[in-house]
Amino acid sequence: MPSALRHLLGAAIGLLAAPVAFYVTEAGARALRAALAGFVPGWTGLACLSAVAVLGAALTCWPGLSPLAAACCGVPLAVVGALFATEPEVATALARGLPYPPILPDPGEPAGAVAGLTGLYVLLGGLLTVSAARLWWRRES
């Protein structure tokens, strides 16, 4: 596959994976919060966050896929997480405009608020971005 096509495909896959990672991370954070409040095991939260970890590993380690896949997924998540960390009121107001996926119940909170305020987006986005930069640097040298 030509290099330009591989990079374009990687960027498209990464951008398509970003909303999936966003909403599944939020579902995992909400499930863990509910489990903590109810003093019960948080298996649903663990499953959701494990699915996001598998998605991140696939974006990073898939043979033949450009490191842009991980970067195009990680950078938007890191930016959202940084916005929640620095300006939580602004981020929450912006999140109120996001649609909530139909597979998850709408709890009345803005989409992304729990994972954003707990720092999960910064962590996930940062790890994906650093892994993409590391892969890019390794391939260049």
Side-chain angles (χ1 to χ4, degrees), residues 72-122:
C72 286
C73 183
V75 170
L77 291 175
V79 168
V80 166
L83 185 62
F84 270 106
T86 57
E87 298 290 335
E89 295 85 18
V90 173
T92 304
L94 290 173
R96 290 194 196 288
L98 293 175
Y100 212 77
I103 60 168
L104 299 173
D106 183 3
E109 296 172 326
V114 176
L117 293 172
T118 57
L120 285 173
Y121 291 137
V122 171

Side-chain angles (χ1 to χ4, degrees), residues 39-56:
F39 295 106
V40 295
W43 297 112
T44 304
L46 177 65
C48 289
L49 294 178
S50 296
V52 173
V54 168
L55 175 66

